[in-house]
Amino acid sequence: MTETLTAVQARRIALAAQGFCDRPHAAPSMRTFDRTLARTGVLQVDSVNVLQRAHYMPLYSRMGPYDVGLLDRAQGQAGPGPRRVVEYWAHVQALMPVDLWPLMQHRREKYRGERGKWGFTADADLEPRVLAAVRDRGPVTARDLEREFSTGPRTKEHWGWNWSESRKVLDYLYLVGDVAIAGRNSQFEVVYDLPERVLPATVLDAPTPTPQEAVTELVRRAARSHGVASAACLADYYRLRLQPAPGGPSVKVAIDELVEAGELTPVTVQGWKRQAYVHREARLPRRVGARTLISPFDPVVWERARADALFDFFYRIEIYVPAEKRLHGYYVLPFLLGDRLVGRVDLKADRANRILLVPGAFAEDHAPAETAAELAVELRRLAGWLGLDDVVVGRHGDLSDALRAALGR
């Protein structure tokens, strides 16, 4: 008989799988980082820095205030120890464990056959010259090579991007694995180098799985990170195609293999229209004691349909919405309290004045009476982690007055 889960049970399983029930460490260490990365699987990278870079936030949400130097060390950019993560197109642009590198070979081959993924083609004649420059001078940024490989004025085609020829070629070489991302500089520019100078030899020498073996392992990891998930959730985690190309690797085949092996169990989740699956390592906690803010780029809210189904929380990021049409604000973070997303706050770090600005604060219909008080504590904690001295709340939103009063207390 197919097991049935309530919405509450599914929500708690999902949050436990993502690390929100892990016992906190008094001072987060590299061991804490490793545990957290094992939960999330990847850390999405995004250039928006109105509050904090996207890849730092999921660690904060699970570990609490931590030294961001841990992530720099994990990228091999600071301190002792081996490189733990490398940047690649894993979910979207993301930091992934280095042992995922062989599993992405089928993706790199696909990009090589398609000549990239952005709808424009890098200049093939420049590729060997740019690659030679990286080999001779790396690590380098696109800016370092721009003058040498410029073929004329930049255009503003392709969604308004204004990439130089060197940037286009480097991005293609990165997608197909001829170069790797060594890190980012203080301007958040990508720094490229040869894979053998970025990745451990054990990773580069590891056997390359078949495309289907790679997809099955990625689905396995997605299932572990989700706890409970539909096929669409499992495919989205590493951006796999739910409907495969003819003869290509299949998410459905992967799920069937994992079910047969006993790693996944089909379940019914009340309120879900999709068939769901529970990973065999998933646990159902009696309660979730979380109190934290969630990045717009956190795995908890990546797939909007999943967030809606799990939390009854409709969420969209409004960065690209004209200001006059935004409902909640420019950079809005959900607030997780217990096992529910009970509110959302528009946040901005005013670093010059050392203030955490809260232009708007909003409560969900199911938010408990203590939401403003709990959110005030969390905002003070976040401000301290960001090195900000005060929290200033604006007038937008039905929670702003209560939040301002709670902060005053």
Side-chain angles (χ1 to χ4, degrees):
M1 180 184 298
T2 301
E3 183 181 353
T4 298
L5 298 174
T6 66
V8 172
Q9 289 173 324
R11 189 162 62 240
R12 291 177 181 172
I13 289 172
L15 288 170
Q18 279 290 315
F20 289 99
C21 293
D22 290 342
R23 186 183 298 276
H25 294 163
S29 64
M30 191 57 77
R31 184 165 64 93
T32 323
F33 172 88
D34 289 340
R35 181 183 69 179
T36 304
L37 182 65
R39 298 294 194 188
T40 64
V42 292
L43 300 168
Q44 183 173 339
V45 175
D46 189 83
S47 61
V48 176
N49 195 27
V50 67
L51 181 70
Q52 174 60 290
R53 300 286 188 193
H55 48 295
Y56 291 108
M57 282 299 299
L59 298 171
Y60 166 83
S61 297
R62 292 153 179 80
M63 293 162 48
Y66 71 99
D67 178 1
V68 296
L70 287 175
L71 186 51
D72 296 333
R73 283 174 53 197
Q75 295 181 78
Q77 291 186 286
R83 175 185 284 270
R84 287 168 160 81
V85 295
V86 66
E87 194 172 327
Y88 191 67
W89 199 264
H91 170 69
V92 289
Q93 194 82 4
L95 289 165
M96 66 181 191
V98 292
D99 66 354
L100 280 186
W101 185 263
L103 298 178
M104 295 298 168
Q105 182 60 29
H106 72 290
R107 184 165 290 178
R108 293 192 288 270
E109 291 173 354
K110 175 175 177 288
Y111 292 150
R112 194 180 295 276
E114 296 175 352
R115 294 290 305 160
K117 72 184 300 295
W118 295 116
F120 59 76
T121 302
D123 187 341
D125 293 336
L126 287 180
E127 288 169 27
R129 295 171 55 200
V130 171
L131 184 56
V134 175
R135 182 179 298 111
D136 294 341
R137 308 175 210 170
V140 296
T141 67
R143 189 183 301 275
D144 293 333
L145 305 180
E146 181 174 349
R147 180 173 297 180
E148 180 176 353
F149 295 104
S150 176
T151 57
R154 296 190 191 184
T155 65
K156 292 189 177 181
E157 300 171 351
H158 310 295
W159 306 290
W161 291 355
N162 188 21
W163 282 5
S164 66
E165 291 303 313
S166 60
R167 177 71 167 86
K168 294 176 187 178
V169 173
L170 284 166
D171 190 73
Y172 171 74
L173 294 174
Y174 140 77
L175 288 171
V176 302
D178 290 345
V179 302
I181 293 181
R184 291 182 180 256
N185 64 17
S186 59
Q187 287 76 47
F188 205 61
E189 295 174 306
V190 176
V191 179
Y192 302 90
D193 207 343
L194 298 181
E196 56 265 35
R197 296 201 291 246
V198 172
L199 292 153
T202 52
V203 170
L204 294 174
D205 295 340
T208 300
T210 67
Q212 185 59 56
E213 288 170 342
V215 166
T216 298
E217 177 60 23
L218 291 171
V219 170
R220 176 184 288 113
R221 294 188 183 214
R224 189 181 297 121
S225 291
H226 268 324
V228 58
S230 68
C233 298
L234 295 174
D236 179 73
Y237 211 88
Y238 290 99
R239 290 297 167 93
L240 304 170
R241 291 182 58 172
L242 193 55
Q243 300 299 326
S250 166
V251 170
K252 183 181 185 304
V253 167
I255 291 173
D256 290 345
E257 289 178 356
L258 295 171
V259 169
E260 185 176 356
E263 294 186 53
L264 294 182
T265 300
V267 297
T268 298
V269 178
Q270 292 177 357
W272 288 27
K273 297 179 181 179
R274 304 167 173 175
Q275 173 68 62
Y277 303 88
V278 170
H279 191 268
R280 68 182 176 191
E281 296 177 6
R283 67 186 184 97
L284 172 57
R286 292 183 178 179
R287 63 181 293 274
V288 177
R291 184 192 63 209
T292 193
L293 287 157
I294 303 292
S295 163
F297 305 104
D298 193 288
V300 169
V301 293
W302 267 346
E303 194 191 24
R304 306 316 191 200
R306 175 180 171 85
D308 198 6
L310 275 176
F311 298 99
D312 189 23
F313 188 84
F314 178 77
Y315 182 55
R316 66 182 298 192
I317 190 165
E318 297 184 280
I319 290 173
Y320 303 109
V321 176
E324 66 276 8
K325 295 184 179 181
R326 292 179 193 140
L327 296 178
H328 299 105
Y330 179 78
Y331 199 72
V332 175
L333 281 70
F335 178 45
L336 176 65
L337 185 62
D339 63 7
R340 302 298 303 272
L341 295 176
V342 301
R344 58 191 89 196
V345 283
D346 185 18
L347 295 178
K348 179 179 181 179
D350 180 352
R351 298 177 180 89
N353 295 302
R354 301 179 64 87
I355 296 172
L356 178 60
L357 299 175
V358 189
F362 309 82
E364 296 299 293
D365 292 340
H366 55 261
E370 66 270 20
T371 295
E374 296 286 356
L375 179 55
V377 174
E378 169 57 17
L379 289 170
R380 290 288 189 197
R381 184 178 79 144
L382 176 65
W385 178 60
L386 295 175
L388 307 175
D389 298 330
D390 202 2
V391 180
V392 176
V393 181
R395 300 287 179 180
H396 191 207
D398 59 349
L399 192 59
S400 60
D401 289 344
L403 179 59
R404 193 180 308 105
L407 285 163
R409 289 193 294 270

